[in-house]
């Protein structure tokens, strides 16, 4: 019976893969951010044959202040194929989706969840609308799913460091933080995972500083090269903090109740948090505190960005939830699995 | 008692979640087959670089035009 269920789940995940692949083939270049930020800059790198500084200074709507590592990587794909052909690039996205699902499956197995149950939870995850969207359903080309992949890899590496005591792998975490921070600035928030690894405080501080260097270099370079930003950053007035916090919380709750994107996942999530505590050392000591600090960092980021907070939250919160899904979905799966174990 | 009710609520919500998924999978299968039969629908395929009489009414159209036009030299 379990073998049959396992095979059925594989088929269902396969259907999702074909669905996102079909999306890439039949609806390429749909989301405005894809053709006005990520692929636009990739095209500029390819066409200008180097760092497109003058281009970045003139194309204000394209968030010129964003790090350019991902568009640069995409331009290398164009270099290999010899032309700007978006389909070759976007076809990577369904494969990123599959890799994410595979990493999720392997992590659940490591948390001592059975094969069939792990695959079942992977299938549930594979049906998240924001994940399907960025895997190929009209949002292929966005950067958030790439961060999701990096965070899954980081969790695996952290597991090796914490549980298997392979502390030399700290270099890999530092590398992943630097890459994430050069894809989108908020990728730097992955730095919090370093603080829950079994190393001394001095080493945590050192590795955190090291992994933050590329982000600082990019901020300096932007200023030196006079690359403009399309929004400012600054502290809100003290009397504005509470009203802004309420706006942020309202936006987050509204997204969690967005049935189209999440159906009833967030209701199940908050309920399982109430009824079941985590029991796994890795989940309790690494996953949960890291997601708390990463989420807190995003909330602070909303205060610092000088744009209308409500608009900023509503336009970005679904993508941020996708980015953070490796963390919160892992401890949701862990706790739900314990609930089911108690029932059987 | 409260704990049991909350646990029951969780199970109901969880099974509501699972119950809808086969329906979505069927929808995905039918959509995928339809898409492969009908062929690609290129977004804004009427927007081409160097088009003089093009009316761009939305910021999405304007940005798509700029994307398509990047690096293209138009003959005057």
């Amino acid at each position: 019976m379990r073998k049959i269920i396992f095979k059925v789940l594989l088929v269902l995940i396969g259907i999702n893969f074909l669905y996102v692949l079909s999306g890439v083939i039949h609806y390429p270049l749909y989301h405005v951010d894809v053709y006005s930020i990520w692929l636009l800059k990739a095209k500029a790198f390819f066409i200008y044959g180097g760092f497109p500084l003058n281009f970045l200074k003139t194309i204000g709507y394209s968030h010129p202040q964003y790090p350019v590592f991902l568009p640069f990587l995409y331009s290398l794909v164009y270099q290999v194929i010899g032309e700007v052909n978006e389909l070759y690039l976007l076809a990577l996205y369904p494969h990123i989706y599959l890799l994410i699902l595979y990493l999720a499956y392997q992590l659940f197995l490591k948390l001592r969840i059975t094969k069939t149950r792990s695959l079942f939870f992977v299938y549930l995850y594979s049906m998240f609308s924001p994940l399907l969207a960025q895997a190929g359903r009209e949002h292929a080309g966005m950067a958030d799913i790439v961060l999701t992949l990096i965070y899954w890899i980081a969790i695996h590496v952290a597991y090796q460091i914490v549980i298997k005591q392979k502390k030399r792998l700290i270099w890999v975490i530092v590398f992943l933080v630097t890459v994430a921070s050069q894809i989108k600035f908020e990728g730097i928030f992955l730095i919090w995972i370093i603080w829950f690894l079994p190393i001394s405080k001095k080493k945590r501080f050192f590795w955190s500083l090291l992994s933050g260097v590329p982000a600082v270099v990019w901020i300096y370079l932007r200023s030196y090269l006079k690359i403009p930003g399309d929004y400012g950053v600054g502290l809100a007035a003290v009397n504005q903090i509470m009203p802004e916090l309420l706006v942020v919380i309202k936006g987050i709750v509204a997204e969690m109740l967005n049935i189209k994107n999440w159906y009833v996942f967030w209701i199940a999530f908050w309920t399982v948090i109430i009824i079941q505590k985590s029991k796994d050392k890795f989940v309790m000591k690494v996953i949960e505190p890291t997601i708390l600090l990463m989420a807190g960092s995003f909330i602070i980021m909303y205060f610092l960005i000088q744009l209308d907070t409500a608009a900023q939250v509503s336009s970005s919160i679904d993508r941020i939830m996708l980015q953070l899904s490796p963390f919160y979905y892992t401890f949701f799966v862990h706790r739900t699995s314990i609930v089911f174990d108690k029932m059987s | 008692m409260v704990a049991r009710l909350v646990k029951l609520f969780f199970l109901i919500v969880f099974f509501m979640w699972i119950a809808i998924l086969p329906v979505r999978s069927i929808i995905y299968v039918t959509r995928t087959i339809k898409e492969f039969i009908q062929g690609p629908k290129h977004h804004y395929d009427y927007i081409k670089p160097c088009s003089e009489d093009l009316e761009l009414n939305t910021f999405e159209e304007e940005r798509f035009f700029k994307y398509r036009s990047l690096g293209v030299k138009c003959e005057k």
Side-chain angles (χ1 to χ4, degrees), chain A residues 68-80:
Chain A
V68 293
F69 184 60
L70 195 64
F72 168 69
L73 277 183
Y74 288 172
S75 72
L76 294 180
V77 174
Y78 293 154
Q79 293 283 352
V80 167

Side-chain angles (χ1 to χ4, degrees), chain A residues 31-221:
Chain A
H31 196 284
V32 64
D33 282 2
V34 172
Y35 56 80
S36 57
I37 304 173
W38 307 105
L39 265 59
L40 180 68
K41 290 178 185 174
K43 195 174 181 182
F45 263 105
F46 178 78
I47 285 169
Y48 298 122
F51 188 80
L53 179 59
N54 289 333
F55 170 81
L56 286 175
K57 286 182 176 181
T58 56
I59 204 85
Y61 62 77
S62 183
H63 297 317
Q65 73 277 20
Y66 278 13
V68 293
F69 184 60
L70 195 64
F72 168 69
L73 277 183
Y74 288 172
S75 72
L76 294 180
V77 174
Y78 293 154
Q79 293 283 352
V80 167
I81 59 179
E83 59 173 344
V84 175
N85 186 326
E86 297 91 356
L87 202 57
Y88 281 98
L89 196 55
L90 298 179
L92 291 172
Y93 278 73
H95 298 88
I96 291 174
Y97 170 75
L98 265 190
L99 187 53
I100 283 171
L101 298 182
Y102 175 74
L103 289 170
Y105 175 72
Q106 289 295 331
L107 185 71
F108 302 157
L109 289 182
K110 283 179 173 147
L111 297 178
R112 292 178 300 279
I113 298 171
T114 64
K115 281 185 181 178
T116 308
R117 196 183 279 179
S118 294
L119 194 64
F120 170 70
F121 281 117
V122 165
Y123 168 61
L124 295 187
Y125 182 56
S126 76
M127 296 293 271
F128 277 5
S129 294
L131 183 60
L132 285 165
Q134 292 213 12
R137 299 305 300 183
E138 300 184 5
H139 290 199
M142 299 282 277
D144 308 280
I145 194 173
V146 181
L147 285 180
T148 307
L149 173 65
I150 288 174
Y151 295 168
W152 276 113
I153 297 171
I155 290 173
H156 271 275
V157 175
Y159 184 89
Q160 295 296 316
I161 294 171
V162 173
I163 303 299
K164 305 289 182 186
Q165 294 290 305
K166 293 181 181 173
K167 292 182 186 176
R168 284 172 296 176
L169 292 178
I170 185 78
W171 275 107
V172 181
I173 297 275
V174 169
F175 174 73
L176 291 170
V177 174
T178 60
V179 169
S181 73
Q182 294 309 294
I183 288 175
K184 285 184 114 175
F185 188 75
E186 62 256 36
I188 194 71
F189 299 156
L190 181 63
I191 214 166
W192 289 117
I193 203 171
I194 294 173
W195 286 85
F196 301 103
L197 300 177
I199 52 179
S200 65
K201 272 191 190 162
K202 207 170 157 182
K203 282 186 179 172
R204 286 174 189 169
F205 194 68
F206 170 75
W207 292 121
S208 298
L209 274 181
L210 189 65
S211 56
V213 164
V216 171
V217 167
W218 172 247
I219 292 170
Y220 170 74
L221 262 178

